[in-house]
Amino acid sequence: MTAPQPLKTVLCPGTADEPRKVEASILPFEDGRLYLAYTAGERADYLEGRMPEGSIRILGRWSSDSGDSWSDPFLVREHQGLPNAMEPSFLRLPSGRILQAYMKRDTFQPQADPFGQMYPMVTYSDDECANWSEPQSIPGDEKIYYTTNDRLIALESGRIILPVLVAPGSSQVGVWMSDDAGKTWRLGNELIKAGPGIRYGYPIAVELADGRVAMFLMNSTGCIHTCHSQDGADSWGPVTQSGPAPCPATFMVQRLPGSSDLVLIWNHHTQRTNLTTAISQDHGSSWSHYRLLESQEDKPFPPTYSFPSLAFLNGMAHMTWYRHPSDEKTSPRFDLVYCRQPISWFYGA
């Protein structure tokens, strides 16, 4: 069988009916199939401070050939009345069961914290994504936590963790965790708290090769912050400013398969452009092997890129991110880009 070749394409273009094709997650299968889910919906009216209600849903596409071709889109998660469904994550358990986490949004209230009506949901499939269980709210009746796409991970111990931002305020990060394969969930014993005047963005966690859990924190200071847990994300050490700058948007960090090295995908720019990758060979303390996925284009309105996802299969990295064309004042379109590269590409080979 011929090895897959590098590929980059606009897989899900924004349309007049659904201009936003954004946050995604890819679930790989050992037989070469890929299951893609992504947020699809209307445009938020940023100028008037309004968000769409009851119009955002999660769509999916299958690839049977490691990303060379894809099925037509199909519905994965419909909005339920006014609420919106968005920002999927996948995790395959040792039993074969597949967990899907996503965000549910009740409604937008112009004078309220827009994230106060969002909370994470979880559902599962025992038949390879053909059918899904009735969704359950991870935090129960509490609606003060939110996360984004491709954030659900499992530790070597079997513990499942989902990092979340605490709203309102965006000054604390917590971890929802399950020790029984996603049946029940509890909040970790300790929250990560921002310093005075600092706001956090979407967090992401990685289990390091030495057994620690590292939390990487998007924040308002201009560089990525990190902190570490020695007990499976229950408690946390001090926050350090050890990550690269700048940090203007959501980013992705994962450990490479069969390695202690980490790979980072982020905007190496003060704006959401210059989508870049880097490798850390010392558990995230320093970064090297910088490579460009998307370069900055001509001003005054360069396209922007954000919300990357990352999955690995048979020596290949499968990535997605959104691309927002140049003039966001006149163009509401957000296209979902799919990219495939051999893992060796991150090192410059």
Side-chain angles (χ1 to χ4, degrees):
M1 181 180 296
T2 304
Q5 298 300 304
L7 174 66
K8 185 170 73 172
T9 184
V10 174
L11 182 60
C12 304
T15 65
D17 292 333
E18 286 187 323
R20 291 170 59 87
K21 306 292 176 64
V22 281
E23 311 97 350
S25 185
I26 291 177
L27 178 70
F29 289 74
E30 291 184 356
D31 61 6
R33 290 180 298 156
L34 301 172
Y35 183 82
L36 167 73
Y38 59 96
T39 304
E42 295 179 2
R43 176 193 182 215
D45 192 333
Y46 300 107
L47 297 179
E48 297 184 13
R50 293 187 291 107
M51 293 288 286
E53 297 182 3
S55 59
I56 301 177
R57 54 188 182 159
I58 298 173
L59 299 182
R61 299 182 71 172
W62 277 102
S63 174
S64 61
D65 49 19
S66 298
D68 283 334
S69 62
W70 295 83
S71 71
D72 291 335
F74 55 86
L75 183 66
V76 175
R77 184 65 50 198
E78 182 63 275
H79 54 77
Q80 300 164 332
L82 278 180
N84 298 312
M86 61 188 78
E87 299 170 307
S89 295
F90 292 115
L91 178 65
R92 182 183 289 276
L93 304 181
S95 65
R97 172 170 286 183
I98 296 166
L99 294 186
Q100 177 193 166
Y102 66 95
M103 290 300 301
K104 181 180 177 182
R105 182 182 192 132
D106 280 342
T107 187
F108 178 74
Q109 300 174 12
Q111 303 305 318
D113 187 313
F115 300 111
Q117 298 84 42
M118 297 181 70
Y119 49 104
M121 307 289 290
V122 66
T123 181
Y124 65 84
S125 174
D126 289 325
D127 57 8
E128 305 289 77
C129 303
N131 298 282
W132 296 93
S133 68
E134 186 68 21
Q136 301 294 321
S137 171
I138 289 177
D141 293 332
E142 300 179 74
K143 302 177 183 179
I144 58 172
Y145 307 99
Y146 60 103
T147 185
T148 189
N149 59 304
D150 218 16
R151 291 299 191 264
L152 197 62
I153 70 167
L155 307 181
E156 287 293 327
S157 65
R159 172 172 289 177
I160 300 165
I161 66 174
L162 180 67
V164 293
L165 191 61
V166 181
S170 300
S171 62
Q172 299 181 101
V173 164
V175 175
W176 283 97
M177 57 184 63
S178 175
D179 292 314
D180 56 7
K183 296 177 184 177
T184 61
W185 296 80
R186 68 175 178 88
L187 193 63
N189 292 331
E190 183 181 352
L191 297 176
I192 302 169
K193 299 179 181 180
I198 297 175
R199 289 176 60 88
Y200 284 152
Y202 296 115
I204 186 167
V206 178
E207 186 173 29
L208 304 177
D210 60 12
R212 293 177 299 158
V213 178
M215 187 74 75
F216 294 85
L217 301 160
M218 176 185 168
N219 63 86
S220 58
T221 69
C223 69
I224 296 172
H225 290 184
T226 61
C227 61
H228 297 87
S229 173
Q230 302 277 3
D231 57 7
D234 249 325
S235 62
W236 297 92
V239 176
T240 62
Q241 298 184 11
S242 62
C247 176
T250 300
F251 56 87
M252 169 59 56
V253 185
Q254 283 196 37
R255 213 169 100 198
L256 293 172
S259 172
S260 62
D261 293 356
L262 304 179
V263 61
L264 168 68
I265 306 174
W266 91 113
N267 296 106
H268 194 203
H269 194 279
T270 56
Q271 305 298 319
R272 293 186 176 189
T273 187
N274 278 6
L275 193 64
T276 306
T277 68
I279 293 289
S280 176
Q281 297 175 296
D282 54 11
H283 309 300
S285 295
S286 64
W287 299 88
S288 61
H289 300 286
Y290 286 45
R291 302 215 64 187
L292 270 175
L293 287 167
E294 299 277 14
S295 61
Q296 182 181 7
E297 297 183 18
D298 291 339
K299 292 184 177 182
F301 300 112
T304 55
Y305 313 92
S306 191
F307 289 88
S309 76
L310 176 61
F312 301 105
L313 180 65
N314 298 330
M316 301 294 291
H318 300 268
M319 297 167 277
T320 67
W321 56 84
Y322 81 57
R323 179 185 186 275
H324 186 18
S326 56
D327 188 351
E328 60 186 50
K329 291 185 178 180
T330 60
S331 173
R333 194 176 79 246
F334 291 76
D335 302 324
L336 186 67
V337 176
Y338 165 73
C339 180
R340 182 180 66 200
Q341 291 283 1
I343 292 175
S344 59
W345 179 89
F346 293 112
Y347 294 89

